[in-house]
Amino acid sequence: MASSSSFLSEEQLRCSICLDVFTDPVSTPCGHNFCMGCIKEYWDNCSQTQCPLCKQMFTKRPELCVNTFISELARAFRIKCDTCTDQAIKSCLDCGLSFCKTHLEPHMVTQKLKKHKVMDPVENLEDYICKKHERPLQFFCRDDQTCVCQFCTESDHKGHNTVPVEEECGEKKSHLMKTQTEVQQLIQDRLAKIQDIKDAVAIRKKSTDDEISASVEVFAALLRSIERSQAELLEGMEEEQKAAERQAEGLIKDLQQEITELQRRNSELEKISHTEDHLYLLQIYPTLCSPPHTKNWADVRTDPELWTVKVCEERMKTLRRAVSELNQLINKEMEKLVEAQLKEMKLHAVDVTLDPDSAQTSLILSADGKQVTHGDKEQNLPDNPERFDPCICVLGKEGFSSGRFYYEVEVRGKTEWGVGVARESINRKGDFTETPRIGYWTVGLRNGNEYTAYAGPPVLLSLSKKPQKVGVFVDYEEGLISFYDVENSRHIYSFTGQTFSEKLYPYFCPYLNKEGKNSAPLIISPVTHTE
């Protein structure tokens, strides 16, 4: 502390408000320092919050904290010599006094005073003196965990484990350094966790941005298709209406021409009917009585209802074609979305191997634990609690109780199969129906073409293509189990809103080998990551 004071003067450590050495110094946002009490009192008496020195205005009163560095520097300047008013540079525990450089001189030259315990100046010197014996607290009693003087070690603490305060301080510092190392490691762990969270958020944001982009592209494509179909339909309707109008205009024109001709004939008939020229009437009669050259309009169909039915049939053909094209486009775009989902899910792929201890005795497992099929007869295997009996099932060795995981199963060539996940505590003995209520989340194929999600009650699935490889994805915290047709990029089924409280294990059921009709194995496939 003395060395630090040599670089600074007392004047530099004075508060500009009270003009005394800092007490609990604080720094304002503009960089000036004041005693905490001084600046608070100054602001309490001002209508505006501003710096007393530079007059910088603050929109709200700043939060102030003691500047420990300046406080330590100022502390030495606040301690005065007990003999004069100069700054103290040392305190003597034996004398119970603080001394400036001049008055410390006897302790440097007098043999008796040289034995006194001197230290850097402190304000609360009485805290370093034994209150009972008024002697320096030079020892530490480990039994009572307190500082004691020489007389204490010979009286109240006689026989106790006492050591010099320097020795105990050294051990405490060593322990503090160890604690500091641990704290620093905790800090580093949390900083790393913060970075992990930030990285996860960044990955999630990129994934969300990709999904948004893909979704926007899908809806844009759908809108374009709808708008194109609508334009084609409206254009066809308008063209048909114009054709109908042109046809009607032609008919009206023909009718008007005939009306004109008939009106002329009618005028002639009217005129001749009043003539007195009998000879003229007889001569012209054959011409006037001959039928006019007109069209048989009874054969011209102008029933609007018949026309509407015909048009509606054409409209329905157009609409059916548009809906069919739209469905094809939706399926195509959905495949793109599922491809993106599968790409994301494959990042959580796990290595699954079959657990022989859980396999029903008629099941045959490959040596690498990746394939299972039903055999012709049961094997002589121990009936351990983990083994299924009599249901033809087997679980994976690995269980999962958090996070996300994904695996793929090849079902090619099978006419019956079941895959999914099951919780650890399921009853493996006796017959059962796979439902979430008893701890199974599965989908499967029966009778060659009946696809079912065993949701309790079962849900029949309508799949346009026959899956050859099934992907199973689980998000434990989200309560989600989803199934996918990997090769056709189609979503099969999802169990949502589930609650898990124990480990989940991959579940496989190859079903019976019926005279070679279901002899193909279930195969746990390696997950391939595509760009």
Side-chain angles (χ1 to χ4, degrees):
M1 185 60 64
S3 61
S4 65
S5 65
S6 63
F7 294 101
L8 293 169
S9 65
E10 183 176 344
E11 193 65 29
Q12 291 174 293
L13 295 171
R14 287 184 182 275
C15 172
S16 59
I17 297 177
C18 66
L19 303 180
D20 202 352
V21 176
F22 288 122
T23 301
D24 295 331
V26 295
S27 301
T28 59
C30 58
H32 294 114
N33 303 307
F34 307 94
C35 298
M36 180 178 285
C38 293
I39 189 63
K40 285 186 175 181
E41 183 179 359
Y42 176 82
W43 283 340
D44 289 341
N45 296 319
C46 288
S47 58
Q48 296 177 317
T49 304
Q50 62 179 2
C51 174
L53 289 178
C54 67
K55 305 302 181 184
Q56 180 176 334
M57 303 294 297
F58 307 116
T59 55
K60 64 178 183 178
R61 182 176 291 198
E63 294 289 335
L64 301 175
C65 296
V66 174
N67 188 320
T68 55
F69 178 71
I70 297 177
S71 180
E72 286 297 314
L73 292 176
R75 185 171 67 87
F77 287 99
R78 286 199 302 269
I79 302 172
K80 303 296 182 181
C81 177
D82 290 315
T83 305
C84 65
T85 59
D86 289 344
Q87 176 189 343
I89 62 170
K90 291 290 182 179
S91 294
C92 176
L93 295 180
D94 291 277
C95 298
L97 300 172
S98 297
F99 300 102
C100 64
K101 183 177 181 180
T102 301
H103 292 102
L104 183 65
E105 187 67 23
H107 283 75
M108 312 302 293
V109 296
T110 304
Q111 193 64 32
K112 181 179 179 181
L113 296 179
K114 281 184 178 182
K115 297 179 181 180
H116 285 194
K117 180 70 173 179
V118 295
M119 58 185 295
D120 288 338
V122 292
E123 292 180 288
N124 51 339
L125 191 57
E126 63 276 6
D127 292 342
Y128 295 81
I129 306 297
C130 178
K131 291 180 173 56
K132 183 176 182 180
H133 302 110
E134 296 184 352
R135 301 296 297 169
L137 296 172
Q138 295 179 291
F139 299 93
F140 182 80
C141 177
R142 289 177 172 172
D143 294 340
D144 297 329
Q145 291 294 298
T146 185
C147 293
V148 296
C149 67
Q150 178 66 45
F151 290 167
C152 290
T153 63
E154 298 170 357
S155 56
D156 296 344
H157 295 267
K158 186 177 182 180
H160 288 191
N161 182 12
T162 57
V163 295
V165 292
E166 292 83 1
E167 181 180 338
E168 183 66 19
C169 188
E171 291 194 14
K172 289 289 192 290
K173 283 184 177 180
S174 176
H175 180 72
L176 287 175
M177 289 177 64
K178 180 181 178 181
T179 303
Q180 183 182 17
T181 301
E182 293 173 353
V183 169
Q184 289 174 347
Q185 185 59 50
L186 291 173
I187 292 172
Q188 293 302 316
D189 292 344
R190 280 145 184 79
L191 289 173
K193 179 58 70 175
I194 289 174
Q195 189 59 48
D196 289 344
I197 293 172
K198 288 181 177 179
D199 292 343
V201 170
I203 293 172
R204 178 62 181 268
K205 185 178 186 305
K206 184 181 183 304
S207 177
T208 300
D209 290 344
D210 291 344
E211 289 180 10
I212 290 174
S213 177
S215 299
V216 169
E217 184 178 342
V218 168
F219 281 105
L222 294 178
L223 288 173
R224 287 194 299 269
S225 177
I226 293 172
E227 289 171 354
R228 183 175 62 253
S229 298
Q230 182 187 38
E232 292 175 357
L233 179 61
L234 295 179
E235 183 180 355
M237 293 171 68
E238 290 173 356
E239 185 58 39
E240 289 172 359
Q241 178 62 28
K242 289 178 181 179
E245 291 175 357
R246 288 193 297 268
Q247 182 185 20
E249 289 173 358
L251 294 174
I252 291 171
K253 183 178 179 181
D254 291 344
L255 285 166
Q256 286 176 339
Q257 289 176 351
E258 290 190 3
I259 289 171
T260 302
E261 181 63 26
L262 291 171
Q263 287 174 340
R264 186 186 63 78
R265 176 69 67 90
N266 184 60
S267 297
E268 292 177 352
L269 290 172
E270 178 67 22
K271 181 178 178 181
I272 201 66
S273 66
H274 297 288
T275 185
E276 296 294 334
D277 189 343
H278 303 295
L279 183 59
Y280 177 71
L281 173 62
L282 294 173
Q283 289 175 344
I284 201 172
Y285 178 80
T287 303
L288 294 176
C289 290
S290 62
H293 297 287
T294 58
K295 186 176 182 178
N296 183 8
W297 290 97
D299 295 333
V300 177
R301 305 298 298 274
T302 58
D303 187 345
E305 292 185 0
L306 293 177
W307 179 81
T308 302
V309 170
K310 179 181 178 182
V311 170
C312 285
E313 289 178 352
E314 294 298 323
R315 300 290 182 273
M316 290 303 296
K317 288 181 181 178
T318 303
L319 286 173
R320 281 194 289 269
R321 184 175 65 254
V323 170
S324 176
E325 292 175 356
L326 188 60
N327 282 333
Q328 292 177 8
L329 178 60
I330 289 174
N331 290 334
K332 183 178 180 181
E333 295 300 331
M334 286 302 297
E335 286 180 11
K336 291 181 181 178
L337 288 178
V338 173
E339 283 178 3
Q341 283 183 319
L342 284 172
K343 179 181 177 182
E344 184 71 22
M345 291 174 184
K346 288 181 178 183
L347 297 176
H348 304 283
V350 293
D351 183 20
V352 176
T353 53
L354 300 170
D355 180 13
D357 291 336
S358 68
Q360 197 263 356
T361 53
S362 62
L363 292 181
I364 301 173
L365 276 57
S366 62
D368 61 358
K370 299 296 183 180
Q371 300 186 28
V372 57
T373 188
H374 179 250
D376 295 332
K377 59 182 179 179
E378 294 190 0
Q379 305 170 77
N380 185 18
L381 297 172
D383 185 20
N384 48 282
E386 297 84 7
R387 192 178 306 284
F388 285 95
D389 183 29
C391 291
I392 305 171
C393 310
V394 61
L395 297 181
K397 280 185 179 180
E398 302 80 8
F400 304 89
S401 57
S402 64
R404 301 170 178 174
F405 64 93
Y406 174 84
Y407 68 93
E408 294 178 352
V409 186
E410 186 173 322
V411 297
R412 197 182 312 275
K414 295 193 67 62
T415 57
E416 294 188 330
W417 52 264
V419 298
V421 294
R423 66 181 177 220
E424 186 173 26
S425 63
I426 52 172
N427 183 11
R428 309 183 190 193
K429 306 300 181 182
D431 293 323
F432 56 82
T433 300
E434 303 160 348
T435 64
R437 185 180 61 81
I438 63 171
Y440 293 87
W441 293 266
T442 66
V443 299
L445 169 66
R446 299 299 299 272
N447 302 321
N449 58 3
E450 297 175 3
Y451 292 93
T452 305
Y454 297 98
V459 177
L460 293 178
L461 305 174
S462 177
L463 305 182
S464 59
K465 295 183 179 181
K466 191 171 184 177
Q468 303 300 314
K469 184 182 292 185
V470 177
V472 183
F473 174 75
V474 178
D475 188 327
Y476 193 96
E477 284 74 20
E478 192 69 22
L480 171 70
I481 307 101
S482 293
F483 299 85
Y484 293 88
D485 179 348
V486 177
E487 295 183 353
N488 295 311
S489 298
R490 298 290 180 92
H491 174 255
I492 297 175
Y493 187 80
S494 288
F495 294 89
T496 60
Q498 307 298 305
T499 300
F500 308 125
S501 59
E502 55 186 275
K503 279 187 176 182
L504 298 178
Y505 288 81
Y507 168 88
F508 309 87
C509 181
Y511 283 105
L512 294 172
N513 178 1
K514 299 177 180 178
E515 298 178 354
K517 293 182 179 180
N518 192 36
S519 59
L522 286 177
I523 304 173
I524 301 172
S525 303
V527 176
T528 56
H529 298 272
T530 56
E531 294 298 330

